[in-house]
Amino acid sequence: MSQKPPKFPSTRSVVVIREATEEDLRLMASDVIRYLPDGLFPRLGKRFVRRWMKTFLTEQYGVALVAVTVDAPRQQVGFLTGSTNQIRHVADVLNNHKWGLLLSGLMALSIRPRVLLHFLRTRARPYLRRILRRTNGPIAGANPRPATAVITSLVVLPTLRGGGIGKLLVEEFLNRAVADRAALAELVTTAGAAGAGEFYKKLGWTCVGERHSKDGTPIHTYQLSLP
């Protein structure tokens, strides 16, 4: 658990980084929808997002961290989700949660016709292939690829940004990635001022690619080599 007294405009409370719990998921899901609205999952609503984010708590390579202040330990001021081995994490999620997530997603789509039409146009075919594909574990004796750790979401309350909370969350995530022998850390963020590229550049990350998401949004991929 990490702690540091960031310099906030409104408070000088010590911030503590701890493991997220199921009790934290409701607020985390709400903040994903509010502050990271791009992509399909936020459009499926809080119930689906909460179920999806729970996989970062339950699976071996998942990471779910919450930042709180010492004087208000139940009040989240930021959080991070990701995985220390993205390939293994995705395989575990498909093995253990595929049908639950599928049912939850279909229920969400059934009451959101516009999102359903958009899904059918942009994602239905690759998602169907992934769902129907058998997920196998690593082959015995095979040389595995170096693990890549991926930050999936990072949120800090807007009124407290710039005080070091995001840096603390990222540092704790990277410590766990190194402990799990990841060779590389990676993330995707919206290009330009709407994204967090400048924040990651200050932390030493490098932009290695630009593309458009399935929704047509310009996005940048950032990477950081790990010791």
Side-chain angles (χ1 to χ4, degrees), residues 19-30 32 41 45-65 79-83 89 92-93 96-97 100-101 104 152-153:
E19 297 273 2
T21 67
E22 286 198 45
E23 293 180 353
D24 298 317
L25 289 178
R26 185 180 299 275
L27 183 55
M28 290 167 67
S30 296
V32 163
F41 286 5
K46 294 179 184 178
R47 180 174 296 182
F48 176 85
V49 172
R50 191 162 62 245
R51 185 160 196 163
W52 165 62
M53 295 186 80
K54 186 178 178 180
T55 65
F56 295 100
L57 274 66
T58 60
E59 299 310 309
Q60 177 182 357
Y61 298 99
V63 177
L65 304 171
F79 70 86
L80 179 150
T81 62
S83 65
H89 179 70
D92 289 344
V93 170
N96 301 326
H97 303 276
L101 287 171
S104 181
T152 305
S153 59

Side-chain angles (χ1 to χ4, degrees), residues 64-108:
L65 304 171
V66 169
V68 298
T69 58
V70 170
D71 54 354
R74 291 185 174 275
Q75 182 178 352
Q76 297 176 27
V77 295
F79 70 86
L80 179 150
T81 62
S83 65
T84 58
N85 186 326
Q86 181 70 353
I87 291 177
R88 295 292 297 271
H89 179 70
V90 170
D92 289 344
V93 170
L94 289 176
N95 279 329
N96 301 326
H97 303 276
K98 175 168 60 178
W99 301 114
L101 287 171
L102 176 61
L103 179 60
S104 181
L106 290 175
M107 292 176 63

